[in-house]
Amino acid sequence: MKFTNGFWLTREGYDINFPRMVRDVKIEDERVTLFAPCKDINHRGDTLNIPSLTIELTAPVENVIRVKAWHHKGEVHRGPDFDVPPEEVSLNTESTQEELLVSNGSLQVRIQRNPFRVQFLHGDTMLTHMESKGLAWIQGPEKESYMRAQLNLGVGESLYGLGERFTPFVKNGQVVETWNKDGGTSSEQSYKNVPFYLSSRGYGVFVNHPENVSFELGSEAVSKTQFSVEGELMDYYVIDGPTPKEALGRYTELTGKPALPPAWSFGLWLTTSFTTDYNEETVNHFVDGMAERGIPLSVFHFDCFWMKEFEWCNFEWDRDCFPEPEAMLQRLKAKGLKICVWINPYIAEKSPLFDEAAANGYLLKKKNGDVWQWDLWQAGMGIVDFTNPDACEWYSSKLKSLLDMGVDTFKTDFGERIPTDVVYFDGSDPERMHNYYAFKFNQVVFDLLKQERGEGEAVVFARAATAGGQQFPVHWGGDCDATYESMAESLRGGLSLTLSGFGYWSHDIGGFENTATPDLFKRWTAFGLLSSHSRLHGSKSYRVPWLFDEEAVEVTRHFSQLKNRLMPYLFAKAVENRQTGVPVMRPMLLEFPDDRNSHVLDQQYMLGDSLLVAPIFNEEGIGSYYLPHGKWTHLLTGEVVEGGSWHQKHYDYMSLPLFVKENTILAMGKTNDRPDYDYADDVSFAIYQLNDGQKANAAVTDSTGRSKGKIEATRKGSQITITTDMESLSYSVVLKGMDSLTSVSSGDLEKLADGMCIRLKDSKEVVLTL
């Protein structure tokens, strides 16, 4: 929210009060409290009739400091709250008459007593600072209260994140309201609002407020990032990396690491689409058609109309279209498929469940006790109150019946249009629940899946989210259009989301609204199958590739098989995400923070730390991409390109800019018809451009995430020493972009067309001479 009228004036009706000095300090082992009056105190009389702010510094984890500031602390607190660790880390404090220095790990806070000023530093390096007016209590024209914080933006500093945002990737100059809305991918609205931003300078700021937080990112005061909330309290964390990747990882220490999705979820998902006509015959036609054409399929999804119209959700199959759902599901599962069905948290009035839910208090209520209802989406629908434990148990019981029938996962759609003129069972604040509702909804479904299917088998396909929602993967990008512009905006949203703590992201291949041209569908398919998760889905038309053209079939088969072969590499990155919080799909900034060119790139990304993907966004088939310094090898052609500049090249539909960075060991599997298999069995390790004096390694897991060992390669001059501790020793090593082998210390040597390959079965170490 903006409180000023240009640089000099305050907006009419607003009174801005900011600390002038630190009058008193209370230092404890785990807490430092500052008492800061909003007036210069020259004599005792100045202490009267003035507001004062109390500022508290604590630390929940290393290199993170929490800042809480309030005007009046007597305000009754009503949840919900983000689930963050308690502040139990001891702070190091040094105090003089002029300043106070508070530190936690590498993060230091230097507080100037008079005039009030705060600096946040990594060691001696300034990250950001708060000037004398940077913290304020503001009274509005109706005597309403706001708290505002401002942190300075450095010259050349870029900001990212704040959830899945389809506006420009770099957030500088934007105004962002973190209020979940169902606005598609073509507007400033977002399904997934996260009050966390990441700086190119290697720090992050998490504003610990589930309600609407208003951000002005260099837009009201152009040299400052400003965030404000209504009320008497401001609560935020400053997170030191010191790199963007490390800062993002520390943020997930606060709000939760993503769970490890099951390996099968990385394969291709196919849906019935939304309003299309379908029954079991249609489904079988799609499934069998994919198999007949050699296109690997992992999951089949039934969208909304698996239930009767006007009755969403009743959790009952429409028996007119699916007379034998149990038998149908078993027939589909016999074909090797997992089954997903669409759900949302709404109960239409025509649903047989409405009266039951209303009678038991399972739906949100108006202040007068009536059930809150409206007709937008479903006629007379109510909304499940997930603050009521009995409602959660009831809702879960309906889903459990579907799991018992053979369903494996749920598409947890909607959850954004949550009203605020309601009363919650547990007394939660409706403003704070608006965004947090999506967290509760997905948590209930995910926990049920974990309970019924086991750890590592739970996965949802969710649309709405807020901070912490990354714990319940996977999320997809919502309703995009069948245009190149919408394809690009979808990617921007996904990259913003992964810089907000989310490890996995998907999108509707070919666009949801309207029907893509064959050209667009093929380009989007390559992009979709080089995303962490991949789904063919549409609104009014089917998305099976043969309805576009025969080449679309070839493209879908080609990239589906490629993704399955990449699973040893991809799943190792998923395990890494569970451990570190670093996303599988990564903006270039995360891997190349020192390359200023990478800071603005939003039409390409890293898939893991070694693969660069640049989707094609035009009918001419021109791939335009930037390669950071070093040698890059095209994964499909073996072409070696020197980095450090922009490149442009034409690609046919079977290719796109897809490069492996130097000093990489890329693990590739032998299986291309499914994503879940034994990744260590006859795995191939391709060593790309290993430079003299460099070391590279790769980890291998099984399809549950259990480590099966790692391989390491070290080069000294013309010799490459390879060591491994893998349980299975059936593997091969291929050299890419290097001189030919002249000798090998052990193993069978086999010459390949694109390099030299050794196949090893009984050696923990081998020395290669080039």
Side-chain angles (χ1 to χ4, degrees):
M1 182 173 177
K2 296 181 180 180
F3 300 100
T4 57
N5 177 13
F7 187 74
W8 308 111
L9 304 178
T10 300
R11 285 180 61 192
E12 186 176 350
Y14 291 86
D15 182 24
I16 301 178
N17 302 271
F18 52 88
R20 301 298 183 114
M21 62 187 299
V22 176
R23 184 67 172 176
D24 198 6
V25 177
K26 182 180 180 181
I27 299 175
E28 302 168 88
D29 182 50
E30 298 170 356
R31 179 174 286 98
V32 174
T33 307
L34 315 175
F35 301 92
C38 298
K39 180 181 178 180
D40 291 318
I41 308 298
N42 298 308
H43 54 79
R44 287 186 173 183
D46 290 334
T47 64
L48 305 176
N49 306 313
I50 62 169
S52 180
L53 301 187
T54 305
I55 305 162
E56 181 183 271
L57 305 180
T58 55
V61 296
E62 188 178 14
N63 293 6
V64 176
I65 287 183
R66 183 180 188 178
V67 181
K68 291 177 68 177
W70 60 86
H71 170 230
H72 289 161
K73 69 185 305 180
E75 188 177 52
V76 174
H77 177 76
R78 298 168 65 201
D81 298 293
F82 293 127
D83 186 11
V84 292
E87 291 79 51
E88 298 177 344
V89 176
S90 296
L91 296 170
N92 296 316
T93 307
E94 300 175 28
S95 178
T96 69
Q97 285 189 337
E98 291 76 30
E99 66 179 25
L100 192 69
L101 186 65
V102 181
S103 60
N104 171 27
S106 64
L107 180 59
Q108 297 188 34
V109 183
R110 180 176 288 129
I111 303 156
Q112 183 176 290
R113 292 175 182 262
N114 191 8
F116 176 77
R117 191 170 187 266
V118 181
Q119 297 175 325
F120 297 92
L121 306 102
H122 169 74
D124 295 327
T125 303
M126 177 79 73
L127 297 174
T128 185
H129 67 275
M130 177 186 290
E131 296 178 350
S132 58
K133 298 180 181 180
L135 182 66
W137 165 66
I138 301 171
Q139 190 170 65
E142 303 299 324
K143 303 301 181 183
E144 69 274 27
S145 287
Y146 304 90
M147 292 294 290
R148 183 198 70 186
Q150 290 178 333
L151 296 173
N152 269 47
L153 273 170
V155 176
E157 180 179 1
S158 297
L159 303 178
Y160 312 89
L162 295 174
E164 182 190 44
R165 315 212 76 82
F166 308 105
T167 54
F169 176 55
V170 177
K171 300 301 180 287
N172 299 49
Q174 298 185 40
V175 175
V176 173
E177 302 288 334
T178 57
W179 193 252
N180 283 4
K181 293 183 179 180
D182 177 4
T185 67
S186 302
S187 77
E188 64 181 355
Q189 296 180 5
S190 173
Y191 303 103
K192 307 171 187 68
N193 284 274
V194 179
F196 167 77
Y197 67 82
L198 184 67
S199 167
S200 60
R201 301 181 79 171
Y203 71 92
V205 174
F206 171 48
V207 184
N208 188 28
H209 287 265
E211 71 269 32
N212 183 37
V213 182
S214 181
F215 287 88
E216 284 77 35
L217 303 111
S219 53
E220 180 173 11
V222 297
S223 64
K224 296 174 177 62
T225 298
Q226 174 175 297
F227 40 95
S228 59
V229 294
E230 189 168 358
E232 301 280 346
L233 172 69
M234 170 59 73
D235 183 0
Y236 67 96
Y237 297 78
V238 177
I239 304 165
D240 182 24
T243 66
K245 183 188 287 188
E246 291 169 298
L248 185 59
R250 294 189 201 283
Y251 165 72
T252 62
E253 287 184 50
L254 291 177
T255 57
K257 297 276 193 297
L260 180 67
W264 54 260
S265 72
F266 288 77
L268 181 59
W269 297 46
L270 174 65
T271 86
T272 57
S273 290
F274 172 33
T275 60
T276 52
D277 291 329
Y278 56 86
N279 53 25
E280 184 176 358
E281 182 181 0
T282 312
V283 171
N284 286 329
H285 173 69
F286 290 163
V287 170
D288 294 342
M290 297 289 275
E292 291 163 3
R293 292 165 174 84
I295 301 174
L297 192 60
S298 187
V299 181
F300 191 83
H301 167 71
F302 292 85
D303 215 54
C304 313
F305 284 94
W306 69 275
M307 294 179 281
K308 280 188 177 296
E309 60 187 27
F310 288 111
E311 295 189 18
W312 306 338
C313 286
N314 62 16
F315 305 111
E316 296 286 342
W317 290 87
D318 181 351
R319 302 252 171 182
D320 292 336
C321 296
F322 305 103
E324 299 177 319
E326 296 91 343
M328 176 189 66
L329 294 183
Q330 293 311 308
R331 287 190 286 269
L332 290 172
K333 294 173 77 69
K335 297 176 181 179
L337 296 173
K338 299 292 184 177
I339 304 298
C340 175
V341 297
W342 176 95
I343 60 170
N344 68 23
Y346 311 142
I347 309 295
E349 189 169 81
K350 188 175 182 291
S351 168
L353 300 181
F354 184 89
D355 289 344
E356 178 184 351
N360 287 286
Y362 297 160
L363 302 176
L364 295 184
K365 295 180 180 179
K366 299 178 183 178
K367 292 180 180 179
N368 65 3
D370 294 345
V371 172
W372 188 96
Q373 294 177 261
W374 71 353
D375 296 325
L376 189 60
W377 184 241
Q378 290 287 280
M381 74 176 205
I383 300 176
V384 177
D385 183 351
F386 289 114
T387 73
N388 183 340
D390 291 340
C392 296
E393 185 176 342
W394 171 81
Y395 192 87
S396 296
S397 71
K398 306 304 178 184
L399 301 186
K400 184 179 182 304
S401 298
L402 293 165
L403 296 179
D404 293 341
M405 188 182 291
V407 170
D408 297 286
T409 184
F410 300 100
K411 173 183 170 182
T412 49
D413 205 353
F414 288 81
E416 303 93 1
R417 291 174 177 159
I418 304 302
T420 56
D421 55 338
V422 292
V423 174
Y424 282 89
F425 173 84
D426 70 347
S428 284
D429 182 344
E431 296 284 335
R432 293 171 70 88
M433 270 300 298
H434 174 82
N435 288 354
Y436 200 75
Y437 185 91
F439 179 94
K440 297 287 290 183
F441 170 38
N442 283 294
Q443 183 182 44
V444 166
V445 179
F446 196 88
D447 285 352
L448 172 69
L449 288 164
K450 193 162 57 173
Q451 172 187 310
E452 294 298 315
R453 293 291 187 257
E455 193 83 32
E457 280 295 306
V459 66
V460 294
F461 213 82
R463 189 172 77 175
T466 190
Q470 69 270 7
Q471 297 173 76
F472 319 122
V474 168
H475 294 79
W476 102 97
D479 298 345
C480 49
D481 200 4
T483 65
Y484 275 118
E485 292 79 8
S486 197
M487 177 178 160
E489 71 201 18
S490 293
L491 177 55
R492 287 197 301 274
L495 295 181
S496 289
L497 186 68
T498 61
L499 287 184
S500 306
F502 287 69
Y504 309 93
W505 175 76
S506 187
H507 44 100
D508 291 343
I509 293 174
F512 176 73
E513 296 289 353
N514 302 306
T515 302
T517 63
D519 164 74
L520 174 62
F521 179 81
K522 287 177 280 194
R523 295 301 186 190
W524 206 320
T525 295
F527 165 41
L529 285 160
L530 289 168
S531 302
S532 79
H533 285 73
S534 312
R535 183 178 73 153
L536 294 165
H537 182 59
S539 178
K540 299 175 183 177
S541 57
Y542 303 123
R543 289 293 183 265
V544 286
W546 56 88
L547 295 182
F548 294 88
D549 62 26
E550 283 306 308
E551 190 177 34
V553 172
E554 296 177 32
V555 170
T556 309
R557 178 172 57 242
H558 171 65
F559 285 102
S560 297
Q561 292 178 347
L562 174 63
K563 187 177 187 184
N564 288 337
R565 287 203 60 218
L566 283 169
M567 278 302 295
Y569 166 77
L570 290 176
F571 206 65
K573 300 308 166 186
V575 172
E576 179 184 314
N577 171 251
R578 180 181 61 181
Q579 296 166 345
T580 68
V582 177
V584 174
M585 289 182 71
R586 307 173 186 181
M588 301 295 293
L589 164 82
L590 284 192
E591 291 301 325
F592 304 97
D594 297 327
D595 187 337
R596 291 289 294 274
N597 290 305
S598 75
H599 291 191
V600 298
L601 299 177
D602 62 2
Q603 294 173 39
Q604 61 184 73
Y605 56 93
M606 297 296 291
L607 190 57
D609 56 358
S610 297
L611 285 180
L612 184 152
V613 183
I616 292 174
F617 296 99
N618 57 79
E619 294 179 355
E620 293 74 30
I622 302 298
S624 189
Y625 54 95
Y626 172 77
L627 298 178
H629 287 280
K631 287 185 168 61
W632 294 81
T633 306
H634 196 277
L635 180 67
L636 303 178
T637 67
E639 174 192 13
V640 178
V641 180
E642 190 68 42
S645 62
W646 282 87
H647 299 265
Q648 190 167 287
K649 185 176 179 178
H650 179 270
Y651 290 86
D652 64 26
Y653 292 114
M654 305 300 285
S655 189
L656 76 166
L658 177 59
F659 288 90
V660 188
K661 75 177 183 181
E662 64 184 13
N663 303 312
T664 286
I665 300 179
L666 185 67
M668 298 276 287
K670 68 176 184 179
T671 300
N672 64 11
D673 60 351
R674 59 184 304 118
D676 47 341
Y677 55 92
D678 185 353
Y679 302 139
D681 182 22
D682 202 18
V683 61
S684 173
F685 295 105
I687 304 177
Y688 285 85
Q689 299 287 347
L690 188 62
N691 296 324
D692 188 17
Q694 295 296 311
K695 182 183 292 185
N697 58 70
V700 178
T701 73
D702 64 14
S703 59
T704 68
R706 186 175 71 90
S707 174
K708 299 298 290 286
K710 65 180 181 181
I711 186 172
E712 186 173 272
T714 305
R715 181 172 180 177
K716 292 183 179 179
S718 62
Q719 285 195 332
I720 297 176
T721 301
I722 298 171
T723 58
T724 181
D725 63 357
M726 288 198 307
E727 298 173 6
S728 170
L729 289 179
S730 175
Y731 66 98
S732 62
V733 174
V734 183
L735 303 184
K736 297 283 190 178
M738 291 181 279
D739 295 335
S740 298
L741 285 169
T742 59
S743 67
V744 59
S745 63
S746 63
D748 297 325
L749 188 62
E750 178 185 347
K751 199 165 188 176
L752 298 181
D754 59 351
M756 300 297 292
C757 172
I758 54 171
R759 299 193 185 279
L760 299 168
K761 294 185 181 297
D762 57 359
S763 178
K764 292 280 187 179
E765 180 175 318
V766 61
V767 179
L768 311 179
T769 302
L770 303 178

